[in-house]
């Protein structure tokens, strides 16, 4: 203990300088948005590189499991192909309504948290690949989240398993809208609130994106209704939605560009100014 006190006493000037330097840097970053954005971008770059290397090791260790899954998928695809009426025709990939293939960026999840109240993912695509904040992220099963920050080659995503996430969603069969959020409990369920009682809903009905935002196109899958209750205060439905996605096991994802986003936002801002 005496040695620690001696070290602090001998190096008190240096330690005081480092403390004051740290405080000044912190205050400078907090008060200037440009400095803050640069720090966030640099942090994404460093953490993204680390996560990608860890992910590469995990992928190598899980090659056998992935190969088994691919073999099963190939068997299903071959079964569909052999049972098709015209096996010589080249099948066309289904596209998302309103989006051209060039508007979709294929990426891979290299880090994924799902055990906190504010969960994030890290992808191995960034601004150099055309990724920007507020782009929607999906996979073949449904929505995953929304782009938060980017560096040159990496980006972070606000997961739908984040208590701050708010996404417009609807009942697929009736077009009644609500707000999709997460209560911070189960990783397999999210909640759809503010659905009017006029809506005819049943367990097992499909929930999809509503299309009332510039982030996700309409009718992207989310999940199915698991439980229904009426909020005593608002008298609207609160619906427990079972996700199609297993958010604890994500691989490749698709980042959705929105060419009309800026035009719509500028138009809405103009309307607000006119009011």
């Amino acid at each position: 203990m005496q040695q620690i006190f001696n070290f602090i006493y001998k190096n008190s000037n240096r330690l005081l300088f480092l403390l004051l330097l740290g405080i000044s840097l912190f205050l400078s970053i907090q008060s200037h948005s440009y400095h803050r954005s640069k720090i966030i971008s640099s942090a994404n770059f460093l953490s993204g590189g680390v996560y990608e290397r860890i992910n590469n090791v995990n992928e190598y260790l899980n090659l056998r499991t992935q190969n088994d899954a691919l073999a099963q998928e190939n068997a299903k695809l071959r079964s569909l192909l052999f049972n098709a009426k015209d096996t010589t025709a080249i099948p066309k990939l289904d596209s998302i309504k309103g989006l051209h293939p060039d508007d979709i960026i294929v990426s891979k999840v290299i880090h994924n948290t799902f055990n906190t109240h504010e969960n994030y993912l890290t992808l191995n695509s960034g601004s150099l690949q055309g990724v920007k904040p507020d782009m929607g992220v999906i996979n073949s099963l449904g929505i995953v989240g929304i782009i938060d920050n980017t560096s040159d080659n990496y980006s972070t995503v606000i997961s739908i398993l984040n208590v701050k996430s708010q996404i417009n969603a609807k009942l697929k069969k009736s077009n009644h809208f609500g707000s999709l959020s997460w209560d911070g409990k189960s990783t397999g369920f999210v909640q759809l609130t503010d659905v009017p009682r006029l809506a005819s809903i049943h367990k097992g009905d499909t929930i999809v994106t509503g299309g009332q935002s510039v982030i996700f196109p309409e009718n992207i899958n989310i999940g199915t209704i698991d439980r229904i209750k009426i909020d005593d205060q608002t008298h609207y439905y609160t619906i427990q939605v079972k996700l199609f996605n297993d958010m604890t096991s994500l691989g490749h994802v698709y980042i959705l560009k929105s060419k009309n986003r800026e035009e719509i936002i500028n138009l809405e801002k103009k309307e607000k100014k006119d009011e």
Side-chain angles (χ1 to χ4, degrees), residues 33-50:
S33 58
Y34 174 77
H35 294 159
R36 187 164 59 252
S37 65
K38 286 297 182 183
I39 289 295
I40 292 173
S41 179
S42 299
N44 281 345
F45 173 77
L46 293 173
S47 60
V50 173

Side-chain angles (χ1 to χ4, degrees), residues 33-45 47-48 51 107 110 118-137 145-159 162 164 255:
S33 58
Y34 174 77
H35 294 159
R36 187 164 59 252
S37 65
K38 286 297 182 183
I39 289 295
I40 292 173
S41 179
S42 299
N44 281 345
F45 173 77
S47 60
Y51 290 148
S107 188
I110 58 174
E118 296 181 15
N119 294 298
Y120 288 83
L121 301 91
T122 304
L123 309 182
N124 67 346
S125 300
S127 57
L128 293 180
Q129 290 77 40
V131 183
K132 297 179 181 179
D134 295 329
M135 285 183 172
V137 181
I146 300 171
I147 296 293
D148 185 33
N149 289 300
T150 65
S151 62
D152 286 346
N153 295 296
Y154 302 98
S155 54
T156 54
V157 179
I158 300 176
S159 170
N162 187 311
K164 293 183 178 179
I255 305 169

Side-chain angles (χ1 to χ4, degrees), residues 173-232:
K173 70 175 186 179
S174 67
N175 289 325
H176 284 94
F177 292 90
S179 179
L180 192 79
S181 58
W182 186 53
D183 61 8
K185 296 178 181 178
S186 173
T187 58
F189 296 88
V190 291
Q191 291 69 45
L192 183 65
T193 57
D194 300 329
V195 178
R197 291 182 64 180
L198 292 173
S200 174
I201 58 178
H202 300 90
K203 183 176 180 179
D205 288 349
T206 300
I207 304 298
V208 296
T209 53
Q212 290 189 356
S213 74
V214 294
I215 297 176
F216 290 104
E218 192 175 12
N219 293 323
I220 301 295
N221 282 335
I222 297 174
T224 57
I225 295 177
D226 183 68
R227 289 202 312 271
I228 307 164
K229 70 176 183 178
I230 297 175
D231 191 296
D232 294 333

Side-chain angles (χ1 to χ4, degrees), residues 23-77:
I23 293 173
S24 63
L25 288 174
F26 175 77
L27 293 175
S28 177
I29 292 169
Q30 287 294 104
S31 60
H32 295 84
S33 58
Y34 174 77
H35 294 159
R36 187 164 59 252
S37 65
K38 286 297 182 183
I39 289 295
I40 292 173
S41 179
S42 299
N44 281 345
F45 173 77
L46 293 173
S47 60
V50 173
Y51 290 148
E52 187 166 32
R53 284 168 175 77
I54 294 173
N55 184 70
N56 289 338
V57 173
N58 290 335
E59 281 191 342
Y60 178 77
L61 296 176
N62 292 325
L63 278 178
R64 182 168 184 174
T65 302
Q66 293 178 15
N67 287 336
D68 290 342
L70 285 173
Q72 293 177 6
E73 184 176 357
N74 285 336
K76 291 179 181 178
L77 292 174

Side-chain angles (χ1 to χ4, degrees), residues 75-90:
K76 291 179 181 178
L77 292 174
R78 287 182 177 276
S79 176
L80 291 173
L81 181 63
F82 293 150
N83 287 297
K85 291 181 179 180
D86 182 8
T87 57
T88 61
I90 299 175

